[in-house]
Amino acid sequence: MHDRTVAVTGANGFIGRTLVSALLEGDYRVIALSRSEYVPLCSDPKLHIKRCPELLSNEDWSECFGGSDIIIHTAGRSGAIEGCDNTLLEFCRVNSDATERLAYQAASSGVKRFIFLSSAKVVGEVSGERAFVEDDKENSFDFYAISKSEAEKKLKKVRMETGMDVVIVRPPVVYGSGMKSNLKLFFNFVQRGVPLPFALANRNKRSLISIDNLIDFIITCVRFEGDISQTFFVSDDEDISTKELLKRISRAMHKPSYLFPLPVSCLKFIAGLAGKEELAQRLFDDFRLDITKAKQFFGWSPKLGVDEGLAKTMSIKYGKSI
């Protein structure tokens, strides 16, 4: 068993639950932190479950993660919630202010490394002629991404003041069984055989990442000996068009793809009339990430290609054979 104890916030979330299981399989002692009741996927003596205060509370979290060597912070708010305050201020309170408070408490408790799950969207929604790199200026108008960007700045301040190792991981859209992103709609449409007007959406290139590749990278950060304190883009390292993504999902499901042609310019116009410009960007524009830094710094590479990641998703969610 490893001598490191790793605490995971948001242990009940899509990423958190998979991460906890992977850490246990890697023989780490794990503290699963969640504000709601956590039901583990398996019984393991290395797993300790602790109910935690709300992120917005002023309570001391240190009793929850006390004794941890590393904290992986996956908890946060990712989107608008019906009936709740969906302002930028509220997103920043959860994703930025609370993260800063948590990090200071972690440093005071002797935590050596703080791994923060941020978002590739902090640098914008459209990459243009070249792929984004980590040093690109933050350029997002999305409340979620802005709050993550503010959190990154505050964590760098915590690093300077406390000396705690701070690692910032910026994934694109994450797919896998249990996903809740807009990408889930594509999987559902293909499963139901819904015809989609994306046969001509073949010129854009977008980065994405399977849950397995993301977890593998995070554990690589956990294992690393020595100081990191870096920011990393991660992806499957294979950028594909919207049309190609749908065709590959169909192939993974062993289903035909029902794509018919409508000009992308026409689809963008319709989206604009419906007030869905941001959705059109995600469907038809480039969003490419350069993950050279992650590969060179750790000697890491994604263990699954896009086809393998999609096939595994289908195998778990729909019982399809790989």
Side-chain angles (χ1 to χ4, degrees):
M1 184 170 67
H2 288 282
D3 57 0
R4 288 177 175 174
T5 298
V6 183
V8 178
T9 71
N12 257 337
F14 164 49
I15 294 171
R17 288 185 68 82
T18 308
L19 177 58
V20 167
S21 295
L23 288 166
L24 291 171
E25 289 175 6
D27 217 23
Y28 287 94
R29 292 189 297 266
V30 181
I31 301 175
L33 305 175
S34 177
R35 61 183 175 82
S36 58
E37 183 178 1
Y38 178 80
V39 179
L41 298 176
C42 61
S43 176
D44 195 306
K46 302 187 301 297
L47 175 63
H48 303 277
I49 301 170
K50 295 187 178 181
R51 293 283 290 271
C52 296
E54 292 277 352
L55 278 176
L56 291 179
S57 73
N58 291 318
E59 295 184 47
D60 189 349
W61 279 57
S62 57
E63 290 187 5
C64 297
F65 53 68
S68 300
D69 303 286
I70 298 172
I71 290 179
I72 306 173
H73 186 36
T74 75
R77 182 174 177 180
S78 60
I81 303 174
E82 186 176 352
C84 295
D85 185 353
N86 294 309
T87 62
L88 175 59
L89 177 62
E90 190 65 17
F91 271 88
C92 286
R93 287 180 66 208
V94 176
N95 292 337
S96 176
D97 299 345
T99 296
E100 178 186 30
R101 185 167 60 251
L102 177 65
Y104 273 120
Q105 292 178 8
S108 298
S109 299
V111 172
K112 302 296 188 296
R113 180 171 297 160
F114 190 96
I115 301 174
F116 176 59
L117 198 67
S118 184
S119 168
K121 290 175 63 176
V122 299
V123 291
E125 296 283 356
V126 181
S127 57
E129 295 182 357
R130 67 167 180 81
F132 284 125
V133 295
E134 287 84 355
D135 291 335
D136 284 335
K137 183 179 178 181
E138 291 86 350
N139 184 34
S140 179
F141 298 95
D142 177 89
F143 286 176
Y144 167 72
I146 292 172
S147 67
K148 288 290 190 177
S149 177
E150 290 301 308
E152 290 187 11
K153 294 172 186 174
K154 291 182 176 181
L155 286 174
K156 290 173 183 177
K157 178 171 174 279
V158 174
R159 159 68 182 173
M160 293 293 294
E161 294 181 357
T162 68
M164 182 174 65
D165 194 10
V166 173
V167 186
I168 296 169
V169 182
R170 293 175 174 172
V173 171
V174 184
Y175 65 92
S177 180
M179 62 188 159
K180 296 180 180 179
S181 67
N182 290 330
L183 186 58
K184 180 180 179 180
L185 293 174
F186 274 5
F187 288 78
N188 291 338
F189 287 151
V190 171
Q191 172 69 11
R192 297 170 186 169
V194 177
L196 296 170
F198 300 136
L200 301 179
N202 58 356
R203 294 187 177 181
N204 66 322
K205 297 292 183 182
R206 297 190 69 83
S207 297
L208 60 161
I209 190 167
S210 73
I211 184 71
D212 294 274
N213 285 337
L214 176 58
I215 297 304
D216 184 62
F217 181 78
I218 293 173
I219 293 180
T220 297
C221 294
V222 169
R223 286 198 306 259
F224 188 82
E225 298 289 344
D227 186 81
I228 304 177
S229 290
Q230 300 279 340
T231 299
F232 300 98
F233 281 132
V234 288
S235 76
D236 287 342
D237 204 22
E238 183 181 359
D239 304 330
I240 59 178
S241 68
T242 297
K243 175 184 178 181
E244 183 64 22
L245 174 59
L246 286 163
K247 290 176 71 68
R248 293 193 186 195
I249 291 173
S250 298
R251 187 161 63 236
M253 284 187 168
H254 308 297
K255 285 180 170 290
S257 59
Y258 298 104
L259 303 179
F260 61 92
L262 275 183
V264 170
S265 58
C266 179
L267 292 171
K268 284 187 173 183
F269 177 74
I270 294 171
L273 291 178
K276 300 291 185 180
E277 293 89 348
E278 291 184 7
L279 176 60
Q281 282 185 334
R282 297 182 188 121
L283 289 173
F284 307 121
D285 291 337
D286 289 339
F287 187 80
R288 297 181 296 125
L289 305 178
D290 185 336
I291 66 168
T292 299
K293 181 179 178 181
K295 292 193 291 185
Q296 291 182 346
F297 189 94
F298 295 106
W300 175 85
S301 60
K303 66 179 184 178
L304 296 181
V306 173
D307 287 329
E308 294 171 293
L310 292 173
K312 186 170 183 180
T313 300
M314 297 306 102
S315 174
I316 296 172
K317 184 172 179 60
Y318 297 105
K320 303 294 181 181
S321 60
I322 298 177

